[in-house]
Structures are given as C-alpha cells and as structure tokens.
Amino acid sequence: MTTTGEEHARALTGPWWWARWRSAVLDGSLALVSAVECGAEGIPFARDAGIPVAVGIVFGLIAGSVLLVRRKWPIAVVLVAIAITPAQMGFLMGIVGLYTLATCELPRRIIVALAGMSLLGTMIVTLVRVRQDMARGDLTLGDWFVPFAAITTSLGLTAPPLLLGLYVGARRRLMESLRERADSLERELQLLAERAEERAEWARNEERTRIAREMHDVVAHRVSLMVVHAAALQAVARKDPEKAVRNAALVGDMGRQALTELREMLGVLRAGEGADSRAASAPLVAVGVAAAEAASRAAGEDGGVEGPCLEELEELVGQSAAAGMVVDLSVQGEVRSYAAEVEQTAYRVVQEALTNVHKHAAGAKTYVRLAHRGEEIAMQVENEPPPEPASASAVRLPSGGNGLVGMRERVVGLGGVFVSGPTDAGGFRVSAVIPAA
C-alpha cells in the first residue's frame, strides 16, 4: 500500500525504490520467472526468424527481466510486453504489467490506451497464428474458430488483470483515504483535548482567584472589625464595663459570622473536590466537569450557597458604625433587585472599601453612596482624612495589598468601571459602576 509524507519516508526500508524487502523479493521472483519464460519462448522465435538460438534466448532473458522495474516504471513494462507480443513471448510480463499499471495512480486515459494496445496486439498475433496453424493443417476447425480464438485469448490475457488491478488500486486509495481521515481525526481530537486542558486550567485559575477574593473579603472585613472592637474593648474595659460587654458581644457575633461564611465556602470546595475525584478516571470527562463547575461557580451558582446582597448593606454599614466609624449612607434612585453576581459584587466593593478605612483611616468620617440608574448601579465610598494619623497603627491592622485588586477584578469581570485614588482633601475615594444586566 502506498503511503505519503512522513509515513512514506519511514516505510522505505527496502532497497532502491521498494518500500519493503518483501516487495523486492516478490518482484525479483516474478522477473526471474518471466525471464525464464521469455528465454524458453525465444528458441522457437529464433528458429522462425532465422537467427541464432543463443540470440533468441538472450533476447528473451533481457526482455523478461524488465518485469523487475514494474513498480517504478509500469508503463515501460507494458510497452515492452506489447513490443514482444509478435514474438509470442512475455505473456506473464503482459499480465503482471497490466495489473501493476491499473493499480497505479495514473490518468485513466493512459491506462485505457495501453490496455487497448495490448488487447489489439494480442488479438492480431493470435488471429495470425491460428490462421497459419489452420493453413498448415494443425487445426481442422471451421473458419469461425479464428476470430473466436483471437477475441477470447486477447480478452483473457487483458481484461482479468486490468479489472483486478483497478479494483485493488481503488481499494488501496480508499484505505489510504480512511487512514488519512483517521489520522486527521486523531490530530483534531488531540488538539481538542489540549484546548480542553487549557480551558480547564484557565477555569481552575479563575476559580482559585475567585476563592481568594471571597476568602479575602470574608476574613479581612470580619477580622478587621473584630480587631477594632477588641481595641475598643481594651480601652474601655475598666472605665465603661457596659460598653465593654457590648463590644465583646459584637466581637463574638463577628467571629461567628466569619466562621459561618468560611464553613460555607469550604463546604463548596470539598464538594467540588469530590466531583473532580470521581471524574479522574476519565481525563476528558474530568476536564469537562472541572470547566463546567468552575464556570457555573464563577457565574454565581455556588451549589446553593447564597452570597451577600444589597439588602444587607445597611447591616454592613451598621457594623462599621458600631466599631466607632462615622458612616453616612445615602441611596438614590428607585431601589430594585439585580442579578446575584451584580448585588454580590456591589456589596463586596462597599465592604472592602469600609475595611480599608478601618485599616488606613480609623476614625475618619466616611460617605457611602449608592445610586440606582436605568441600566447600571453605581457606588462610591469616600472617607475624609483621619483625625489622628497614628490611629491606624494603634489597632495593628495588617494590609496584604489585595483589596483594591480584588475589587477591580470583580467589577471589570462584569463589564463595569472601577476607579480608586486619593482625594484633594487628603482622603480616599473608591468608585464603581456595574451594568445592571
């Protein structure tokens, strides 16, 4: 079977133009048999032509050995077979040559022309020989036998090898086409698998980033308020026991809320790990499961765990006010509900902005503005300069530098706009606009 490209280069393991040693041995054996046949038939040819018998044998041996190059030059083999047909030699060469010619990927007109020449030559030679035999009295049949023998012999020596060669050649080309199609499908499947792995890796990275943002928002805000209340508790423990009790209760509530949110997120993570482990036995299925779960969780479908919403914004502001911050909340426009991810992102932006005020501008007056517009929702958290610059360090609130980055990623991920920076008065402003749809 013929091959192409790199596979063809790897298949050439035989000598010269043969693909395999087995093919070379087969052609050599056919050429040897053909040479012996033509050499034997060269004896009567030499007697009829009046030339030395040795010349006829050598001519037959040389002509018959041409079959050795049938795979490389099939046209030459057929032409030689046609040329020595009048000498009544090369029958095996003609049959094998026509078969090889029909299996090659040559234009059909060339195959038909050479087959027609071989058919016509065999018919003429047979017609002449049979007529001569009848004239000498070797055959006593009627005149009808002459054309019958010519037609039957020519068709018998031409049609079977030609039809068999056409069938084998078509089958080889079909198998080659199927093999190339299978290789192409295998390459496409491999490419799809690589792309699926890339998408799964991207989904895993996105999920890690989302989880990091959620953990940061939950831990940073709750723990920051706990630290502020603990500092206030330490300051008033002896002077105002009742206030100390209230601060202690607030610290406990903050801790319990933080633990509840952490447990909910850890429960989602464990459920996702269980699904990934069940799909580990099928790599492509695992890729699809991981991508689907990460995409659904990134869209806000966290296995039934509901995130914060804008209705809890007053409670969030109240927690900061209870921690000693002066907070002014104003809402503009008609209050309405939004998609879960939009409300959760808006809530987290305000939450992280208030946390930053606790960290970097403790005691500063803060303004929280929320505006419901036609196709978007806008929020702004602005704080004045802190009254005492050292107050932020008094409660020892560390900063990881990820709050603004997380807020920007959340807002931009929903197609919104996020702006943050210091104000002319020495404070800090965080603004965000998120599309409602």
Side-chain angles (χ1 to χ4, degrees):
M1 183 176 296
T2 58
T3 55
T4 57
E6 185 178 356
E7 295 180 356
H8 179 72
R10 289 196 301 267
L12 293 177
T13 59
W16 296 338
W17 57 82
W18 286 284
R20 296 182 298 271
W21 276 98
R22 184 177 61 183
S23 301
V25 173
L26 175 62
D27 290 354
S29 301
L30 291 175
L32 179 61
V33 174
S34 177
V36 172
E37 176 204 353
C38 292
E41 293 168 346
I43 297 175
F45 167 70
R47 291 173 181 173
D48 294 341
I51 59 176
V53 176
V55 175
I57 294 175
V58 172
F59 174 75
L61 292 174
I62 295 175
S65 62
V66 176
L67 194 59
L68 188 67
V69 297
R70 71 180 185 95
R71 296 179 188 268
K72 191 171 182 62
W73 297 299
I75 297 179
V77 174
V78 175
L79 290 176
V80 171
I82 294 173
I84 64 177
T85 299
Q88 285 191 328
M89 62 174 63
F91 295 103
L92 178 62
M93 183 191 304
I95 293 174
V96 177
L98 285 176
Y99 168 79
T100 306
L101 180 70
T103 59
C104 296
E105 296 182 1
L106 293 174
R108 289 297 177 89
R109 62 179 183 274
I110 296 178
I111 298 176
V112 172
L114 292 176
M117 292 172 59
S118 177
L119 175 68
L120 184 61
T122 305
M123 184 182 299
I124 294 174
V125 170
T126 305
L127 182 67
V128 172
R129 287 293 181 179
V130 173
R131 189 177 295 276
Q132 290 177 352
D133 292 340
M134 292 185 66
R136 288 195 303 265
D138 296 339
L139 294 175
T140 58
L141 299 175
D143 294 338
W144 62 269
F145 183 73
V146 177
F148 173 77
I151 294 174
T152 303
T153 303
S154 59
L155 288 176
L157 294 176
T158 304
L162 182 66
L163 296 177
L164 180 62
L166 291 174
Y167 167 75
V168 173
R171 184 175 181 275
R172 287 180 179 178
R173 287 186 288 272
L174 176 61
M175 295 299 295
E176 185 66 22
S177 175
L178 293 176
R179 181 180 290 105
E180 292 178 356
R181 184 177 300 178
D183 293 340
S184 176
L185 290 176
E186 184 178 358
R187 288 192 296 268
E188 290 180 1
L189 288 176
Q190 185 178 1
L191 181 61
L192 289 176
E194 293 176 356
R195 290 182 178 176
E197 291 178 1
E198 293 177 357
R199 289 195 296 269
E201 182 64 25
W202 174 84
R204 285 192 292 268
N205 292 334
E206 288 293 318
E207 183 64 5
R208 293 190 190 101
T209 304
R210 189 193 69 84
I211 293 171
R213 286 199 300 262
E214 292 291 338
M215 297 286 287
H216 175 270
D217 292 340
V218 171
V219 174
H221 181 73
R222 302 293 186 191
V223 175
S224 297
L225 291 180
M226 290 170 63
V227 172
V228 172
H229 283 293
L233 177 62
Q234 183 180 4
V236 302
R238 296 181 179 178
K239 299 179 181 179
D240 192 348
E242 294 182 359
K243 188 175 181 180
V245 171
R246 290 195 300 270
N247 287 340
L250 288 174
V251 171
D253 292 339
M254 297 290 178
R256 282 187 291 271
Q257 292 176 4
L259 287 175
T260 300
E261 294 187 15
L262 287 174
R263 287 194 188 99
E264 290 174 351
M265 283 191 294
L266 290 176
V268 173
L269 291 178
R270 291 193 183 96
E273 290 174 358
D276 292 340
S277 63
R278 289 191 299 270
S281 58
L284 290 180
V285 176
V287 169
V289 171
E293 289 185 355
S296 64
R297 289 197 297 266
E301 301 174 358
D302 295 336
V305 178
E306 298 182 357
C309 59
L310 291 178
E311 295 180 356
E312 304 174 12
L313 197 59
E314 293 184 2
E315 180 182 356
L316 176 67
V317 173
Q319 292 174 355
S320 296
M325 178 187 295
V326 180
V327 188
D328 181 16
L329 173 63
S330 62
V331 180
Q332 300 176 356
E334 182 181 357
V335 178
R336 64 183 187 275
S337 60
Y338 301 90
E341 59 268 21
V342 174
E343 294 202 8
Q344 183 177 358
T345 300
Y347 180 92
R348 294 301 189 191
V349 169
V350 176
Q351 181 187 54
E352 181 59 31
L354 293 176
T355 302
N356 288 339
V357 175
H358 283 293
K359 289 181 180 179
H360 307 291
K365 187 175 182 180
T366 305
Y367 302 91
V368 178
R369 301 182 180 91
L370 185 67
H372 300 273
R373 300 172 183 173
E375 297 180 353
E376 61 187 16
I377 179 174
M379 66 225 63
Q380 184 182 63
V381 179
E382 180 179 352
N383 64 276
E384 297 179 351
E388 298 180 4
S391 60
S393 60
V395 294
R396 298 178 182 177
L397 290 174
S399 176
N402 298 318
L404 295 177
V405 175
M407 285 190 284
R408 183 182 300 276
E409 291 176 350
R410 285 178 178 275
V411 174
V412 174
L414 295 178
V417 179
F418 179 84
V419 179
S420 63
T423 61
D424 296 337
F428 199 84
R429 181 187 298 117
V430 172
S431 302
V433 179
I434 305 175

